[in-house]
Amino acid sequence: MTENQLRQKIVDTAVAWLGCKESDGSHKQIIDVYNAHKPLARGYKVKYTDAWCSTYASAVAIKAGLTDIIPTECGCEKHIELFKKLGAWKENDAYTPKMGDYIFYNWDDGGNYASTDLTASADHVGIVTKVSGNTFTVIEGNKSNAVGYRTMKVNGKYIRGFGTPDYASKATETGGGTSEAGGPTIYTVKAGDTISKIANTYGTTVDALVEINAIQNKNLIRVGQVLMLQDTTQAAADKLEALGVINSPDYWAQAAEAGKVQYLDILLKKAAQTITKAGARADTPQEGVAALVAAGAINTPEYWLANYDTFPSLDLLLQALGGAVK
C-alpha cells in the first residue's frame, strides 16, 4: 500500500466506529479490541467505565494492524511519551497535520494560544480525517461519551501537539489493495498478460479467477482491466476504489465483514463483478437501487430502500454504485 492508502486505512478504520457510544454499550467493542491486544500498556485492562479516548485511538491502530508505527496506550500523556520514543512527535501547535496524524489536546489553553506553545498534560486525543486549508476534521473516541467528529483550525486553541506515525516506512511500491495477511487483493492487467499467467503469479487458479470476476471468456482480458485476486469483500472494495467508484474501501469492507449492513458483502462483490469504470453518481439512493437491480447486482431492493439511511454514507454508496452500473 502507498503512504496515502495507509493513512486512509487508519481513517477508514476509525470511521467504522462512528456513532459507538456509552449509552447503548456499543463503545464496549472498542474497549474489547484494546484489551485483547497484548501486551497491555502498563498491564492495565481498561474498564468500560474508564475514559476511553486514547483507548479508542489505540484500538484503531490495533484494528488496522499498524501498532509498529502507532503506539498503544489508554492514557493521553503516556501516549505522547510513546510517540516521542518513536521519534514521531510534533511539539509545534501551529503544525499543519496530515490525514492519519494523531492530535492531542489540553482544555486549559490560555487566551494567547496562537503565540505560545502549550506543554501542559494532555487531556484528550483524536485522529485527523481531513485537512482543508487551515481547517481540519478530527474523529475522537469519548467525545461526549461517543465516537464523533470535531473541526479544528491550524494553530487553534487547545492543541497540545501531534503524534505523526511514519506511514512512509510501511509503504510499499506495489499498487492496488492488500489483504490483512499482506497479499494483494487486486491486479491491473498489463500488455502480454493472460489469466493463466496471472493465476500462476499469485498462487491461484484460472477457474478461481474466472469465478471471482464473473469472466465470460477466460481467453479474453484487456489491458487496464482490474481483476480481483480473492473472493473477499476487501478485494471487491479495493477494485471499486481502483476504478474510482468509492474512496473508502476499508470502511466498507470492514462494515460488510462485521455484519453491520445485511447483504453488503453480496452487494460489493456483485458490483465489483459488474462495474468496469466509474460513472456519474445517481441523484438519489432510490435511483441507485433501481440501476443496481437492472444490472443484476441487487435482488433485494426492498431491503435497501428501507435501510439506506440506517448506516453512515450507505445512501452515497448506493448512489455511487448505481451510477457506475448504468
Side-chain angles (χ1 to χ4, degrees), residues 161-174:
F162 295 88
T164 55
D166 188 5
Y167 294 103
S169 69
K170 296 281 290 182
T172 65
E173 295 298 322
T174 55

Side-chain angles (χ1 to χ4, degrees), residues 10 33-35 37 55 57-67 70 72:
I10 278 291
V33 168
Y34 178 86
N35 285 335
H37 180 71
T55 301
S58 297
V60 170
I62 294 166
K63 193 78 170 177
L66 293 173
T67 55
I70 303 173
T72 59

Side-chain angles (χ1 to χ4, degrees), residues 187-240:
Y187 177 80
T188 302
V189 176
K190 299 178 177 61
D193 280 339
T194 64
I195 288 285
S196 177
K197 179 180 177 181
I198 296 169
N200 288 336
T201 299
Y202 291 99
T204 185
T205 66
V206 170
D207 288 344
L209 290 179
V210 167
E211 181 178 356
I212 292 168
N213 293 278
I215 295 172
Q216 300 300 313
N217 184 349
K218 65 183 179 182
N219 297 313
L220 182 61
I221 56 174
R222 69 180 189 283
V223 173
Q225 183 176 351
V226 180
L227 298 177
M228 293 178 283
L229 300 176
Q230 303 171 8
D231 184 18
T232 63
T233 52
Q234 185 68 60
D238 286 340
K239 177 180 177 178
L240 293 169

Side-chain angles (χ1 to χ4, degrees), residues 15 144 154-155 183 217 226 228 246 249 252 324:
V15 170
S144 299
V154 172
N155 201 27
N217 184 349
V226 180
M228 293 178 283
I246 65 174
W252 293 113

